[in-house]
Structures are given as structure tokens and as C-alpha cells.
Amino acid sequence: MSPPAYQWAIPVGVVGVPVGLYVTFILLGAFPFFQRHFLYAHRLNTLFWHDINKPEYWGFARNQVTAFSLNTVDGQTIYSWHILPLPTYLKHEHKLQAQQPGFSDDITKTASFRLLKDDPEARLVIYFHGNAGHIAQGYRPESYHTLTDSSRYHVLAIDYRGFGKSTGTPSETGLLHDGAAAVDWAMHVAGIPASRIIIMGQSLGTAVTSAVGEHFALQGIEFAGIILIAGFSSLPTLLSSYAAAGFIPVLSPLRAIPPLLRFFQSFIVDKWKSADRLAHVVSLTQTRLRLTFIHAKNDIEIPCHESDKLFKSAAGATLHEELDDDKFSSWKEKRTLQRDDGTFIATANAEPDITIREELVPYGGHNEVMMSAAVSLAVMRSFGLDAE
């Protein structure tokens, strides 16, 4: 005797609702408008109750942070923070306390800007954050504190177009323009040479960093360092294993059906091919390159093997032969310091003066890894402090 129909209703519903939602999500994601909202999540922010023109809320000293805007080549206005290092702030505290707080319509007239521009030894970290939120959301202020509280490094952080108070709508080309505008401002307005600038990104920001690095490498411009934290090789590759918030799958359920996976990957409009871009940066290097990848072993959003792919592509560009996966693994093993907790440091050196370093740290997850000592040490190495 067959069970009553109502006994099947609950199991079917339990399975059918999530499947239906997933199919709807995938179909909507095929349209660029929805896809970019899913990818960048730029509308998810706390501007309703946080005034990002008052950085003191996040523990910064009065006028340690100057909020201002950058202009891009395509006419967008990009909201930015210039963050002074506390040791510099301490020396000029009286002058900075007297500065008008809040958003600056002309940052070049501020005392904080002069402390950057007039210092012939000033070093600057340009910081590209991940998706969602705004310049001061979540862990980001704490990561700025990590970089500036006890160092002499200035930080320039931006909100990409469509994020926070910035104008426009995000896209791959657009975010490249935003990142390039930050570098152009640093070099041509603040007067900081590329040799004293590090470009650094986390998550989505690693893709922006890679694109910006390639953009300027094509012009023969080499930075003090390029640092990627929790990076990924390309967006189509990432989405085949990515889980939003650590548990919401994107394309990973389709991996069992490769043709279907490739079909949906073909609809991805912003490819963000960081592995290819970094290999190009390496091949264009004429003088010096410090390229660092940092990933946490317990990152549940972007798996740490994505940084392995970035290392392979970048380090592979220094070789004069094509190595398959097995040969490259053997080559890398000879250049790797393995730790007993399963983490490691791999270092590849090449001519003219190229150092490519991958570090897997045990903790930090996807976001808190930004506060890891590994990040601060990477900044120091990029600026050559390990050679002093």
C-alpha cells in the first residue's frame, strides 16, 4: 500500500525550495545587471548609521584620517581615505588637531597631505578592499590600524565606483580605472615615486591589485611591492568552488556536469584573470619585483589553493620551460619551508631582482587574516627593510 500523498509533501518541499531558489539565483546571475550586484555586493553597506566622514568612530585620532575624493579618467568620483601613520601624527599632533575635521574638498591644502608630500622618505600602501560594504565596514578599519599604528607607512584606501559614497556602477574595467586613479594621485599629486608605493589587495581587491599592477607594468612602472591576501586566480575558476559567506554555493554544484559548468561560466562578464595578469607583470619586470601571496589555511570563502595557482602562474613566468603540475610541484617543494601545522612559505627568486613569495598562515579566515603579522612583514620586506 502506497503512503499517503501528504507524507511526500514535506520531503519534496524541503528539497524543492532550496533547489528552486538556487536555480533562480543562477538564472538571474546570467544577466550582467544581477551578476554584478551578486559579485560586488556594493549596495550592502552601513551608511545609514555610520558617518564615514567621522573616522574617529573607528578609533582613529582626530584628523589622522582625511576623507577626500579622486577623479577617474572616465569621470567618476571615488571616495578615499588618507591615513597617517601614528608616529608621524604624534610629531605633528598640534598642527593636525587644529585642522578642520571631516571631508576635505581640497586635500592638497591640508596639513596631513603636506606630511605625505613634503617627506622625501614617505612610503605609501595603497589598499584595495574586498567586495561588499564600504571603506570603513567590518574588519577594514582594524586592518588600517594594523598598518599605521606603529609604522611610518601612510595608507591610501578607496571605495570603488558604486561602493559607499563613490559614484558610478562597478565593473572590471571601471574598478581598474579606480585603482589606476589612486596610483596616479599618489605619484602625480602627492609626488610619491612608485619605488615607495606598495599596492595591496584582499579578496576582490587582489584582482584589482593584479589589474593595476599590469596596467602600470605596461608603462614600465614598477612598485616597491605587490601584495595579495586571500586572492584567486580568475573569477570563472573561483566560482566553480566558491561559497558565498562560506556556505552558499555558486557554481560548485555544477562541477559534476562539466559541460553545464562551462556553459554558465561563459556568462561571466567580469573575468578578473589575475593569474594571467601577474605572469605578465613578472615577464615585464626590468628592475625589481616583490610579489607576495598570503592566505589563511582556514579561509572557508576562497580556498587557499587559489593562491597556489597564483604562485604557479607568477613563478612559472620566471622559468624558461613549461612545467606540468607534477614537475612544478617538485620544483616548488625545493623552495618551500614546511611547518608542522601544515602551513608553509614558498619563495622563488629570479633575475633581475625578482622575489615571489607565497605564505600559508594557520588562522585568520578570509578577513581577519588582514591583521596577521604576515601582512605587516610583507610590507616591510617590500620596502626593503629585511636588507637593512
Side-chain angles (χ1 to χ4, degrees), residues 46-77:
T46 62
L47 288 180
F48 287 112
W49 60 90
H50 283 153
D51 184 352
I52 56 177
N53 287 329
K54 297 180 178 179
E56 293 85 353
Y57 177 85
W58 291 278
F60 295 100
R62 176 185 169 92
N63 290 324
Q64 182 189 357
V65 178
T66 304
F68 70 106
S69 290
L70 300 169
N71 296 316
T72 68
V73 294
D74 59 343
Q76 299 301 329
T77 301

Side-chain angles (χ1 to χ4, degrees), residues 231-247:
F232 58 93
S233 55
S234 75
L235 191 58
T237 300
L238 172 65
L239 293 183
S240 67
S241 60
Y242 178 74
F247 66 92

Side-chain angles (χ1 to χ4, degrees), residues 266-282:
S266 69
F267 284 92
I268 298 173
V269 290
D270 293 338
K271 308 294 186 183
W272 291 114
K273 296 183 177 181
S274 295
D276 293 343
R277 282 171 163 154
L278 292 172
H280 197 196
V281 170
V282 172

Side-chain angles (χ1 to χ4, degrees), residues 6 50 73 148 157 160 185 229 284 298 330 342 357 359 364:
Y6 70 83
H50 283 153
V73 294
T148 60
Y160 316 116
W185 179 90
I229 302 105
L284 291 170
N298 65 338
S330 176
R357 179 186 175 98
E359 182 166 3

